[in-house]
Amino acid sequence: MIETKTLPTAYVTDPRAMRSSSGKTLRTDEMIINMGPQHPSTHGVLRLEIVVDGEIIVDVIPHIGYLHRCFEKHAEHMTNYQQVIPYCDRLDYCAAINDEHSYVLAVERMLKIELPERVEYIRVIMAELQRIASHLIAVGTFGIDAGAFTPFLYAFHDRELILSLFEMTCGARLLYNYFWIGGLSHDLPPQFVDKAKEFCTYFKPRIKEFNDLLTFNEIFVKRTANVGVLPKDVAINYACSGPMLRASGINWDLRRDDPYSVYHKIEWEPKIGKGEMGTVGDVWDRHIVRMREMEESVKIIEQALAALPAGNVQAAIPKRIRPDAGEIYARTETPRGELGFYIISDGSGTPYRVKGRAPAFVNLSVLPDISRGAMIADLVLIAGSVDIVLGQVDR
Amino acid sequence: MTAQEILESLKAKFGDAILDAKLEAMQPWISIAPDRMKDVAFFLRDDSFLQFDYMMCLSGVDYNDGRLGVVYHLFSMVHRHKIVLKAFCTKENPHVRSVSSVWGTANWHEREVFDMYGIIIDEHPDLRRLLMPDDWEGHPLRKDYKVPEFYNGMKVPY
Amino acid sequence: MGLLDQRFENGNVFVTSLDNLLNWARLSSLYQMQFGLACCAIEMMAASASDFDIMRFGIIPRATPRQADVMFVAGTVTIKMASRIKRLYDQMAEPRYIISMGSCANCGGPYWEHGYHVLKGVDRVIPVDVYVPGCPPRPEALLEGIIKLQEKVRKESLVKKSTEEKHKK
């Protein structure tokens, strides 16, 4: 037995002291490991302070703010509501169209504009194409986190086809400034519909190929099943949304339950996690929900392309965007979850306050609760399955 | 439930804590006394007719007339109704009671409100800056904020 | 091996300057430090994917700055992040190069006017060799930036004694 007078008293009364077979106590201690802000697998500049006991995680403390780009300050100083749209793009740069959709929806509701139907259908087509592109980034980089490099190349090759569709329409590959308040900046070029149909036909078997490569791969399943389980009540209390919420078994999708645009005219259904490979709400469930959402998006795009009416996409764009004094909170379903904009207008042409409620910000706050008891290698996968984009988290 | 019914059930339980309401706005809001925010929040979450279990958003606002405010957007997944709560405080006494024990998501939102507006959230488990560096001076989203010239040797303005 | 394949008649001795040889070796194998900050990081990832493929230029991503020759600062540099970038830059071994990718890293980008937390250009903390404009730059623009950097490396001299301190940064 070690003498107590030569060591600090905390040693002997330390509950973590383990007893080895010969009766001597072995001292263990917790270690604080720092992951990031520069790290190959934190999906951006996120700093995770991990308190570990050996390899088991005791606590995770995320530190954010390394990409805080003052979006809300810029929104208050822009000369009109239209100029805020490029900044909304850069919130979630992997799914820029969906960011714009949320913002223009909020302003249009404040202005009470009636949109031409063609605008609504094109918006749905673009939003769903962007959803597929964003999920491809998510699953591609998730594969790299798990150690599989090839699915990343498959995902990005398919994504290039989508980006060329966007480039054909509005000239930009990543950050578009395409949705304008009351309409769109450009109409679809004549060859868009055929190329989009071609893409849909090409992409459906590719999802199956991707699933064979990664999703149902035994190593991947063993690494992701039963890891990072998010229970239902915790998910709702922490206001999780998007694939994180649906993977925990909650049948909730804003496109159907808080409807906007023309989603109610299209036949589709949200995909829910069922715990097929492990527990409901584990990392594998979130992954398969994203894969199945891509298939569903292809269905939505095909129906919208078939139902696309004629019209002028710039007919409803107001000359002066000056909403009455008031405020509104509007939300849409982006690939990462519920993106909401709380806009206060003071009656002038400049927004008074624009708050972006980012889904990744809210989903990330649940990370400590779902990763206690996991190992460090699991933490990489759990953080990857939350699918954060730091532009959105830090705004 | 309509906004009128929600206001009435709140008034019945908390009478004096309900300061103001504007039900004819596009999204009706109710103003609550900032130090009673937590009790009202527990009631809103746990009462079986209200069941506001999902907090959509929590934002800070600077009203540019000496008042600061915290705006809560609540939603009920069960009953599918929404309500907006507001808690006003002054710049001289910027205190609002935390609701992070009611809705776990409020933890980070309230830290951000503290960081950006300087509204001190009482009883918050971990009130420190979230987005700005820990030794930053000032609260950036206030309307009277002046950008510092230098920070740790780096020039801040363009 | 395309440069040397089946080019010689007999005997395979060729004479060049040491500078040329070393620079050719260095520019063909610039190891990149994986460091993406914001939106430009997505275009950098697209550039390293199979459609644009920066690996054919010899650029392999390394996770640590100690094994890297070049760092693409891709995205907005915030003030909180600036001290970390300086530390990463100091950890890189010389000769080291920085490519500033995107408008935000060049000069602050769209956040130049009201960004209280945005550093207006990464060259306020570290010296930059090549600036690639764009918001975000296309992967082809990034490839052009890399080729410009290769041209710069080709003209350098590691072995000559020089009075000016080229690598003193």
Side-chain angles (χ1 to χ4, degrees), chain A residues 97-309:
Chain A
I97 287 273
N98 294 291
D99 300 337
E100 292 175 10
H101 200 168
S102 199
Y103 175 76
V104 302
L105 190 79
V107 181
E108 282 161 6
R109 280 191 186 163
M110 268 212 291
L111 291 169
K112 304 188 181 55
I113 299 181
E114 191 68 40
L115 289 171
E117 240 199 306
R118 185 176 172 84
V119 169
E120 296 281 25
Y121 272 95
I122 296 180
R123 282 189 180 176
V124 164
I125 296 172
M126 292 303 183
E128 293 308 311
L129 277 173
Q130 184 69 40
R131 192 180 307 270
I132 300 177
S134 171
H135 281 327
L136 282 171
I137 301 184
V139 299
T141 50
F142 190 55
I144 295 191
D145 287 347
F149 189 65
T150 313
F152 170 79
L153 299 174
Y154 278 61
F156 268 71
H157 175 68
D158 295 335
R159 191 168 167 266
E160 291 294 328
L161 301 171
I162 301 179
L163 295 187
S164 66
L165 283 174
F166 278 116
E167 201 180 347
M168 194 196 305
T169 314
C170 59
R173 279 164 51 99
L174 198 71
L175 303 164
Y176 315 100
N177 194 6
Y178 182 54
F179 286 13
W180 282 6
I181 295 169
L184 306 166
S185 70
H186 298 82
D187 202 345
L188 296 177
Q191 65 271 41
F192 181 88
V193 176
D194 295 324
K195 283 232 153 33
K197 283 193 188 136
E198 225 178 273
F199 169 75
C200 291
T201 339
Y202 159 82
F203 188 60
K204 278 190 276 218
R206 295 280 288 188
I207 302 182
K208 181 173 177 316
E209 208 176 331
F210 198 96
N211 277 337
D212 289 335
L213 256 185
L214 187 66
T215 316
F216 295 105
N217 183 325
E218 190 172 335
I219 304 175
F220 183 77
V221 171
K222 281 242 153 56
R223 277 201 72 181
T224 54
N226 295 317
V227 167
V229 178
L230 177 64
K232 269 189 192 180
D233 47 348
V234 174
I236 295 185
N237 194 266
Y238 275 84
C240 294
S241 49
M244 269 203 96
L245 189 67
R246 287 194 281 282
S248 295
I250 301 168
N251 194 341
W252 179 258
D253 190 317
L254 286 177
R255 293 173 283 172
R256 180 197 59 195
D257 296 315
D258 198 349
Y260 56 95
S261 199
V262 287
Y263 283 103
H264 55 279
K265 294 190 186 164
I266 300 177
E267 245 189 73
W268 65 281
E269 52 172 27
K271 296 296 174 186
I272 321 294
K274 299 193 189 79
E276 288 158 44
M277 294 284 175
T279 336
V280 177
D282 60 9
V283 165
W284 194 87
D285 266 352
R286 284 177 220 134
H287 178 82
I288 194 67
V289 163
R290 289 193 182 105
M291 296 301 304
R292 292 193 177 132
E293 271 185 11
M294 284 202 275
E295 289 173 5
E296 208 63 27
S297 289
V298 171
K299 261 205 283 189
I300 299 178
I301 296 172
E302 285 178 332
Q303 289 176 58
L305 284 171
L308 190 63

Side-chain angles (χ1 to χ4, degrees), chain A residues 372-388:
Chain A
R372 289 201 181 102
M375 306 214 194
I376 298 182
D378 294 333
L379 177 68
V380 170
L381 289 176
I382 298 173
S385 76
V386 176
D387 192 14
I388 50 173

